[in-house]
Structures are given as C-alpha cells and as structure tokens.
Amino acid sequence: VQLNLELENRQQYIAEFEKSLDSLKEQAAQARDDSLRWFFYDYLRKEYYYYNVDSSAVYVDKMSHLAKNSGRADWQAIATVAQADISYSRFDYSSALNMFESVDTSSLSRTDMIGYRSLGMQLHKDILNYQSISEEDRRLLTEAHSKIKQSFETFYDESIECRMRICRWEIDHGNFSRAKEI
C-alpha cells in the first residue's frame, strides 16, 4: 500500500527534485566566486548522476573548464575523476581507465581519495568481469585492483561507500565471512 502511494506521487517528487536543481543552477549562475561556483557545479553533477548522466556530464565539463582556468591541481584531479566516472557510467571502460590512471592524486583530499579509489575498485572489477582482455592485461588489472582494494581499506572506518565496495569485492571473491564482518 505504501509503495503504491509513493508511486502515485512520483511525478510530484520529480517536479520537486527538478525545482531544487533549477534553484542550484540559478545559484551557480549568480556565484561571484570560483570556489562557490565549483561547489555548485560539483553538487549538480552529483545530483544529476543517477537522474540524467548527460546533464551530469555538462557539469563535469563546467568543472573541467573552471579547473583549467583556475590552475588548481586539486580541482583538475577531481574533474578528471568525475570525467572518468561519467565514462564508466556509459560503459566506456577504456576511456574511464585512461582518465583514472592519469589522475595526479597528490593534491586530492582524504575525502576525494575515497571517491577516487572507490571508482578504481569498481572500474577494475567491471573490466575484469565484463571485458575480453588478454591474460597479461588480466594479470595487470587484477594486481591493480588488489592494490586499490588494500589502500582503500585505510578508509574503512570513514566511509559507508568504502565498506559497501569492499563488501561487494569480498562477496565476488567468495569471502562471505569477511563480507558479513564488514
């Protein structure tokens, strides 16, 4: 019954969500400071990601442009991770992997490293599971995936996303007791 009520109100929820997005877009357009504009672009890209990936990509492009103009290495790294994530969501694993591997992580904050490593774990896992690759590439990707997973565990206590990705990795590798602990 509750689900039916929620489904009946779907259009109302969508209208409210789109109204909030319009408000964010307006605030981004009115922002007089690049840092504030960056904040709104990043927020909009995240909000749009599961709703409309093409719209998310528009804000990733705006972030990339802002990063290039600002000369900030941290913004450029975050924008590149976001571009890789868009390519990943479009199943363009090759482009996503190239972008992922090009990121200079030295300027990323601890929080941004969680996103970076989370994307890396999922990207490597999906390439291994769904792409036809040579045995040598499989070996290299498996090794890279394991290294990312190990380094990702340093963030275990900080991120639910981190724990969920590690749990999924453990399940995929038959480590059910470890997954249950997580």
Side-chain angles (χ1 to χ4, degrees):
V1 174
Q2 182 66 30
L3 180 59
N4 288 338
L5 290 173
E6 295 298 322
L7 290 173
E8 287 174 14
N9 293 326
R10 183 173 185 260
Q11 290 304 323
Q12 178 185 345
Y13 296 144
I14 290 172
E16 288 173 18
F17 178 68
E18 288 177 350
K19 185 177 178 182
S20 74
L21 293 174
D22 289 342
S23 174
L24 289 168
K25 288 186 236 178
E26 195 174 304
Q27 291 176 59
Q30 293 174 2
R32 299 184 192 276
D33 165 289
D34 281 349
S35 293
L36 191 55
R37 194 171 295 112
W38 174 268
F39 169 81
F40 285 116
Y41 290 166
D42 190 39
Y43 196 86
L44 282 160
R45 116 172 126 98
K46 290 173 185 172
E47 288 294 299
Y48 270 119
Y49 187 79
Y50 294 106
Y51 181 64
N52 183 327
V53 75
D54 292 330
S55 293
S56 181
V58 167
Y59 289 97
V60 169
D61 289 344
K62 289 177 184 263
M63 290 171 65
S64 295
H65 182 72
L66 194 58
K68 286 177 188 159
N69 288 341
S70 73
R72 289 187 54 169
D74 58 336
W75 285 5
Q76 187 59 53
I78 293 166
T80 303
V81 171
Q83 287 173 322
D85 200 15
I86 293 293
S87 291
Y88 169 74
S89 72
R90 292 176 170 161
F91 305 103
D92 184 357
Y93 297 143
S94 177
S95 293
L97 185 61
N98 287 335
M99 284 183 261
F100 176 82
E101 291 175 342
S102 77
V103 173
D104 175 5
T105 60
S106 64
S107 64
L108 290 177
S109 70
R110 194 161 170 84
T111 301
D112 293 325
M113 281 299 289
I114 291 171
Y116 171 77
R117 289 182 172 148
S118 177
L119 172 63
M121 272 184 57
Q122 196 62 45
L123 175 61
H124 284 81
K125 185 184 104 178
D126 284 358
I127 292 171
L128 289 166
N129 286 340
Y130 305 119
Q131 299 289 298
S132 295
I133 55 177
S134 71
E135 285 305 311
E136 177 64 11
D137 286 345
R138 180 166 299 285
R139 185 188 65 74
L140 292 171
L141 282 168
T142 300
E143 187 178 298
H145 184 259
S146 294
K147 285 180 183 177
I148 292 169
K149 180 188 173 285
Q150 287 171 351
S151 66
F152 198 55
E153 288 180 348
T154 64
F155 299 105
Y156 176 79
D157 292 333
E158 297 177 36
S159 167
I160 290 173
E161 179 183 5
C162 172
R163 288 193 301 270
M164 294 303 294
R165 294 224 188 216
I166 292 171
C167 184
R168 185 169 39 214
W169 188 90
E170 297 293 357
I171 289 169
D172 289 347
H173 290 81
N175 303 326
F176 302 111
S177 60
R178 173 79 172 124
K180 188 175 179 182
E181 288 174 20
I182 293 168

